[in-house]
Short mmCIF file of all heavy atoms in Angstrom, two decimals:
data_model
loop_
_atom_site.label_atom_id
_atom_site.label_comp_id
_atom_site.label_asym_id
_atom_site.label_seq_id
_atom_site.Cartn_x
_atom_site.Cartn_y
_atom_site.Cartn_z
N VAL A 275 143.89 220.39 66.59
CA VAL A 275 144.54 219.51 65.62
C VAL A 275 144.61 220.18 64.25
O VAL A 275 145.67 220.20 63.60
CB VAL A 275 143.78 218.17 65.53
CG1 VAL A 275 144.35 217.30 64.41
CG2 VAL A 275 143.85 217.43 66.85
N ILE A 276 143.48 220.73 63.80
CA ILE A 276 143.42 221.32 62.47
C ILE A 276 144.30 222.57 62.38
O ILE A 276 144.93 222.83 61.34
CB ILE A 276 141.96 221.64 62.10
CG1 ILE A 276 141.16 220.34 61.98
CG2 ILE A 276 141.88 222.43 60.80
CD1 ILE A 276 139.67 220.54 61.82
N PHE A 277 144.36 223.35 63.46
CA PHE A 277 145.24 224.53 63.47
C PHE A 277 146.68 224.12 63.21
O PHE A 277 147.38 224.74 62.40
CB PHE A 277 145.10 225.25 64.81
CG PHE A 277 145.91 226.52 64.90
CD1 PHE A 277 145.38 227.73 64.51
CD2 PHE A 277 147.22 226.50 65.38
CE1 PHE A 277 146.13 228.90 64.59
CE2 PHE A 277 147.97 227.65 65.48
CZ PHE A 277 147.43 228.86 65.08
N ARG A 278 147.15 223.09 63.91
CA ARG A 278 148.54 222.63 63.71
C ARG A 278 148.75 222.12 62.29
O ARG A 278 149.82 222.34 61.70
CB ARG A 278 148.86 221.52 64.72
CG ARG A 278 149.03 222.01 66.14
CD ARG A 278 149.69 220.96 67.03
NE ARG A 278 148.88 219.74 67.11
CZ ARG A 278 147.97 219.55 68.06
NH1 ARG A 278 147.74 220.49 68.97
NH2 ARG A 278 147.29 218.42 68.09
N GLU A 279 147.74 221.48 61.72
CA GLU A 279 147.87 220.97 60.36
C GLU A 279 147.93 222.12 59.34
O GLU A 279 148.74 222.09 58.41
CB GLU A 279 146.69 220.04 60.03
CG GLU A 279 146.71 218.74 60.83
CD GLU A 279 145.47 217.89 60.57
OE1 GLU A 279 144.51 218.40 59.95
OE2 GLU A 279 145.46 216.72 61.00
N LEU A 280 147.08 223.13 59.52
CA LEU A 280 147.06 224.25 58.58
C LEU A 280 148.31 225.13 58.70
O LEU A 280 148.83 225.64 57.70
CB LEU A 280 145.81 225.10 58.80
CG LEU A 280 144.48 224.52 58.28
CD1 LEU A 280 143.32 225.41 58.69
CD2 LEU A 280 144.51 224.38 56.76
N PHE A 281 148.77 225.33 59.93
CA PHE A 281 149.93 226.19 60.15
C PHE A 281 151.25 225.40 60.15
O PHE A 281 152.31 226.00 60.30
CB PHE A 281 149.78 226.93 61.48
CG PHE A 281 148.90 228.15 61.42
CD1 PHE A 281 147.53 228.04 61.62
CD2 PHE A 281 149.43 229.40 61.14
CE1 PHE A 281 146.71 229.15 61.58
CE2 PHE A 281 148.62 230.53 61.10
CZ PHE A 281 147.25 230.40 61.31
N ASP A 282 151.14 224.10 60.01
CA ASP A 282 152.33 223.23 60.06
C ASP A 282 153.05 223.43 61.40
O ASP A 282 154.27 223.58 61.46
CB ASP A 282 153.27 223.53 58.89
CG ASP A 282 154.29 222.41 58.69
OD1 ASP A 282 154.04 221.28 59.19
OD2 ASP A 282 155.34 222.66 58.07
N GLY A 283 152.26 223.46 62.47
CA GLY A 283 152.81 223.64 63.80
C GLY A 283 152.00 224.66 64.59
O GLY A 283 150.94 225.12 64.15
N GLY A 284 152.49 225.01 65.76
CA GLY A 284 151.80 226.01 66.59
C GLY A 284 150.74 225.36 67.47
O GLY A 284 150.50 224.16 67.43
N PRO A 310 150.76 230.78 66.19
CA PRO A 310 151.41 230.24 64.99
C PRO A 310 152.87 229.88 65.29
O PRO A 310 153.44 230.35 66.28
CB PRO A 310 151.30 231.39 63.97
CG PRO A 310 150.17 232.24 64.49
CD PRO A 310 150.25 232.14 65.97
N PRO A 311 153.51 229.06 64.45
CA PRO A 311 154.91 228.68 64.68
C PRO A 311 155.82 229.91 64.83
O PRO A 311 155.64 230.92 64.13
CB PRO A 311 155.27 227.88 63.43
CG PRO A 311 153.96 227.36 62.95
CD PRO A 311 152.95 228.41 63.26
N GLN A 312 156.75 229.84 65.78
CA GLN A 312 157.71 230.90 66.06
C GLN A 312 157.05 232.21 66.54
O GLN A 312 157.60 233.31 66.39
CB GLN A 312 158.59 231.23 64.84
CG GLN A 312 159.62 230.17 64.50
CD GLN A 312 159.02 229.04 63.68
OE1 GLN A 312 158.35 229.29 62.69
NE2 GLN A 312 159.29 227.80 64.09
N GLY A 324 146.32 237.45 57.48
CA GLY A 324 146.44 236.08 56.98
C GLY A 324 146.30 235.06 58.09
O GLY A 324 145.65 234.01 57.92
N GLU A 325 146.89 235.35 59.25
CA GLU A 325 146.79 234.42 60.39
C GLU A 325 145.36 234.34 60.91
O GLU A 325 144.89 233.26 61.29
CB GLU A 325 147.74 234.88 61.49
CG GLU A 325 149.23 234.70 61.13
CD GLU A 325 150.14 235.41 62.10
OE1 GLU A 325 149.69 236.33 62.80
OE2 GLU A 325 151.33 235.05 62.16
N MET A 328 143.43 232.10 58.45
CA MET A 328 143.75 230.68 58.62
C MET A 328 143.15 230.14 59.92
O MET A 328 142.69 228.99 59.98
CB MET A 328 145.26 230.48 58.63
CG MET A 328 145.89 230.63 57.25
SD MET A 328 145.46 229.28 56.13
CE MET A 328 146.62 228.02 56.67
N THR A 329 143.15 230.96 60.97
CA THR A 329 142.54 230.54 62.24
C THR A 329 141.04 230.35 62.08
O THR A 329 140.46 229.37 62.58
CB THR A 329 142.82 231.57 63.35
OG1 THR A 329 144.24 231.75 63.48
CG2 THR A 329 142.25 231.11 64.68
N ILE A 331 139.51 229.62 59.32
CA ILE A 331 139.35 228.41 58.50
C ILE A 331 139.48 227.17 59.39
O ILE A 331 138.73 226.20 59.23
CB ILE A 331 140.39 228.39 57.36
CG1 ILE A 331 140.07 229.49 56.34
CG2 ILE A 331 140.45 227.03 56.68
CD1 ILE A 331 141.16 229.72 55.31
N ALA A 332 140.43 227.20 60.31
CA ALA A 332 140.60 226.06 61.22
C ALA A 332 139.35 225.84 62.08
O ALA A 332 138.94 224.70 62.30
CB ALA A 332 141.82 226.30 62.12
N PHE A 335 136.58 224.26 59.84
CA PHE A 335 136.77 222.84 59.62
C PHE A 335 136.61 222.03 60.92
O PHE A 335 136.21 220.86 60.88
CB PHE A 335 138.15 222.57 59.00
CG PHE A 335 138.21 222.91 57.54
CD1 PHE A 335 139.11 223.86 57.06
CD2 PHE A 335 137.37 222.29 56.64
CE1 PHE A 335 139.16 224.17 55.72
CE2 PHE A 335 137.42 222.60 55.29
CZ PHE A 335 138.31 223.54 54.82
N GLU A 352 139.71 232.98 51.48
CA GLU A 352 141.16 232.90 51.34
C GLU A 352 141.77 234.23 50.86
O GLU A 352 142.96 234.30 50.56
CB GLU A 352 141.53 231.79 50.34
CG GLU A 352 141.39 232.15 48.86
CD GLU A 352 139.96 232.37 48.41
OE1 GLU A 352 139.02 232.00 49.14
OE2 GLU A 352 139.77 232.93 47.32
N LEU A 355 145.07 235.39 52.33
CA LEU A 355 146.16 234.41 52.39
C LEU A 355 147.18 234.66 51.28
O LEU A 355 146.83 235.10 50.18
CB LEU A 355 145.59 232.99 52.26
CG LEU A 355 144.56 232.55 53.31
CD1 LEU A 355 144.12 231.12 53.04
CD2 LEU A 355 145.12 232.68 54.72
N ASP A 356 148.44 234.36 51.58
CA ASP A 356 149.46 234.42 50.53
C ASP A 356 149.38 233.13 49.71
O ASP A 356 148.60 232.22 50.01
CB ASP A 356 150.85 234.62 51.13
CG ASP A 356 151.21 233.55 52.15
OD1 ASP A 356 150.63 232.44 52.08
OD2 ASP A 356 152.05 233.81 53.03
N ASP A 357 150.20 233.04 48.66
CA ASP A 357 150.11 231.91 47.72
C ASP A 357 150.34 230.57 48.42
O ASP A 357 149.63 229.59 48.16
CB ASP A 357 151.12 232.08 46.58
CG ASP A 357 150.75 233.25 45.67
OD1 ASP A 357 149.58 233.68 45.74
OD2 ASP A 357 151.63 233.73 44.92
N ALA A 358 151.33 230.52 49.32
CA ALA A 358 151.66 229.26 49.99
C ALA A 358 150.48 228.78 50.84
O ALA A 358 150.12 227.60 50.82
CB ALA A 358 152.91 229.43 50.84
N ASN A 359 149.87 229.71 51.56
CA ASN A 359 148.75 229.33 52.42
C ASN A 359 147.49 229.04 51.62
O ASN A 359 146.65 228.24 52.04
CB ASN A 359 148.48 230.42 53.45
CG ASN A 359 149.48 230.40 54.59
OD1 ASN A 359 149.97 229.35 54.97
ND2 ASN A 359 149.82 231.58 55.11
N VAL A 360 147.35 229.69 50.45
CA VAL A 360 146.21 229.39 49.57
C VAL A 360 146.29 227.94 49.11
O VAL A 360 145.29 227.20 49.11
CB VAL A 360 146.16 230.34 48.37
CG1 VAL A 360 145.19 229.81 47.31
CG2 VAL A 360 145.72 231.73 48.81
N LEU A 361 147.48 227.50 48.72
CA LEU A 361 147.66 226.11 48.28
C LEU A 361 147.41 225.15 49.44
O LEU A 361 146.78 224.10 49.27
CB LEU A 361 149.08 225.92 47.72
CG LEU A 361 149.37 226.66 46.40
CD1 LEU A 361 150.84 226.49 46.02
CD2 LEU A 361 148.48 226.14 45.28
N ARG A 362 147.87 225.50 50.63
CA ARG A 362 147.65 224.65 51.81
C ARG A 362 146.16 224.56 52.13
O ARG A 362 145.64 223.48 52.43
CB ARG A 362 148.43 225.22 52.99
CG ARG A 362 148.39 224.33 54.23
CD ARG A 362 149.26 224.92 55.33
NE ARG A 362 150.66 225.00 54.90
CZ ARG A 362 151.61 225.66 55.56
NH1 ARG A 362 151.29 226.34 56.65
NH2 ARG A 362 152.85 225.67 55.13
N PHE A 363 145.48 225.70 52.00
CA PHE A 363 144.04 225.73 52.25
C PHE A 363 143.30 224.90 51.20
O PHE A 363 142.38 224.14 51.54
CB PHE A 363 143.55 227.19 52.24
CG PHE A 363 142.06 227.33 52.07
CD1 PHE A 363 141.18 226.85 53.03
CD2 PHE A 363 141.53 227.96 50.95
CE1 PHE A 363 139.81 226.98 52.87
CE2 PHE A 363 140.17 228.09 50.80
CZ PHE A 363 139.30 227.61 51.75
N ALA A 364 143.68 225.04 49.95
CA ALA A 364 143.01 224.29 48.88
C ALA A 364 143.19 222.78 49.07
O ALA A 364 142.26 221.99 48.85
CB ALA A 364 143.57 224.72 47.53
N LYS A 365 144.35 222.39 49.51
CA LYS A 365 144.61 220.98 49.76
C LYS A 365 143.73 220.47 50.90
O LYS A 365 143.17 219.36 50.82
CB LYS A 365 146.10 220.79 50.10
CG LYS A 365 146.50 219.35 50.34
CD LYS A 365 148.00 219.25 50.66
CE LYS A 365 148.41 217.81 50.94
NZ LYS A 365 149.86 217.71 51.28
N TYR A 366 143.61 221.27 51.92
CA TYR A 366 142.78 220.88 53.06
C TYR A 366 141.30 220.86 52.67
O TYR A 366 140.54 219.99 53.08
CB TYR A 366 143.00 221.83 54.23
CG TYR A 366 142.83 221.18 55.57
CD1 TYR A 366 143.87 220.50 56.17
CD2 TYR A 366 141.61 221.21 56.23
CE1 TYR A 366 143.72 219.88 57.41
CE2 TYR A 366 141.44 220.60 57.46
CZ TYR A 366 142.50 219.93 58.04
OH TYR A 366 142.34 219.30 59.25
N LEU A 367 140.91 221.80 51.83
CA LEU A 367 139.53 221.87 51.37
C LEU A 367 139.15 220.62 50.58
O LEU A 367 138.04 220.08 50.71
CB LEU A 367 139.35 223.12 50.50
CG LEU A 367 137.92 223.53 50.13
CD1 LEU A 367 137.16 223.95 51.37
CD2 LEU A 367 137.95 224.68 49.13
N LYS A 368 140.08 220.15 49.77
CA LYS A 368 139.82 218.97 48.95
C LYS A 368 139.57 217.75 49.82
O LYS A 368 138.76 216.88 49.48
CB LYS A 368 141.00 218.73 48.01
CG LYS A 368 140.75 217.63 46.98
CD LYS A 368 141.91 217.54 46.00
CE LYS A 368 141.64 216.47 44.95
NZ LYS A 368 142.77 216.37 43.98
N ARG A 369 140.24 217.70 50.98
CA ARG A 369 140.06 216.56 51.87
C ARG A 369 138.62 216.48 52.36
O ARG A 369 138.05 215.39 52.51
CB ARG A 369 141.01 216.68 53.06
CG ARG A 369 140.92 215.51 54.04
CD ARG A 369 141.62 215.80 55.34
NE ARG A 369 143.03 216.15 55.17
CZ ARG A 369 143.86 216.40 56.18
NH1 ARG A 369 143.39 216.32 57.43
NH2 ARG A 369 145.11 216.74 55.97
N TYR A 370 137.99 217.61 52.61
CA TYR A 370 136.63 217.63 53.16
C TYR A 370 135.56 217.62 52.07
O TYR A 370 134.38 217.51 52.37
CB TYR A 370 136.44 218.87 54.05
CG TYR A 370 137.00 218.69 55.43
CD1 TYR A 370 138.34 218.94 55.69
CD2 TYR A 370 136.21 218.28 56.49
CE1 TYR A 370 138.86 218.77 56.96
CE2 TYR A 370 136.72 218.10 57.77
CZ TYR A 370 138.05 218.37 57.98
OH TYR A 370 138.58 218.19 59.25
#
Side-chain angles (χ1 to χ4, degrees):
V275 174
I276 294 172
F277 183 89
R278 287 195 299 269
E279 292 175 349
L280 285 175
F281 279 88
D282 196 19
Q312 288 83 49
E325 291 168 339
M328 287 290 279
T329 303
I331 291 170
F335 284 121
E352 80 292 346
L355 302 181
D356 56 24
D357 292 342
N359 283 327
V360 167
L361 292 175
R362 186 176 298 169
F363 163 64
K365 182 180 178 181
Y366 211 85
L367 191 66
K368 187 175 182 180
R369 181 193 304 183
Y370 279 85

